[in-house]
Amino acid sequence: MTTILCYFLLICFAALCISLIACTFQSMYEARRDDKRKDAQEERDTEYHRERMKREQEQAARDLEYHEKRMKELE
């Protein structure tokens, strides 16, 4: 009877260890995947910001040109 209980406890402990190891590997995999996603998102955000600043500078230059032209017409 004692032997059966020892085997039962050993099997339970082994199952617990295997499940903990599996959870650890899964967490490591997901963390790595999330890091890659975050890096890609930061890259896209940086590119979007750069394009947006470029468009805003172009728009500011067009606005300035328009206002200077308008002021000359009003003089």
Side-chain angles (χ1 to χ4, degrees):
M1 187 69 174
T2 306
T3 310
I4 295 172
L5 289 175
C6 285
Y7 285 138
F8 179 73
L9 288 174
L10 187 62
I11 290 171
C12 289
F13 180 73
L16 179 65
C17 288
I18 290 171
S19 65
L20 287 176
I21 290 171
C23 288
T24 301
F25 282 126
Q26 184 179 10
S27 295
M28 286 174 27
Y29 175 74
E30 288 178 359
R32 187 173 181 194
R33 190 177 60 193
D34 287 344
D35 287 343
K36 286 182 182 179
R37 281 187 190 158
K38 287 178 184 177
D39 290 343
Q41 181 67 35
E42 286 177 14
E43 198 173 304
R44 285 192 303 272
D45 288 347
T46 301
E47 183 63 30
Y48 174 76
H49 179 70
R50 190 178 304 124
E51 290 292 325
R52 185 174 173 206
M53 290 296 111
K54 182 180 174 185
R55 286 192 309 263
E56 285 185 12
Q57 287 176 349
E58 291 171 354
Q59 183 65 39
R62 285 193 299 271
D63 288 347
L64 180 62
E65 182 182 332
Y66 170 78
H67 288 298
E68 287 176 352
K69 185 177 175 183
R70 250 334 244 161
M71 291 304 287
K72 285 182 183 178
E73 289 176 2
L74 292 176
E75 290 178 352

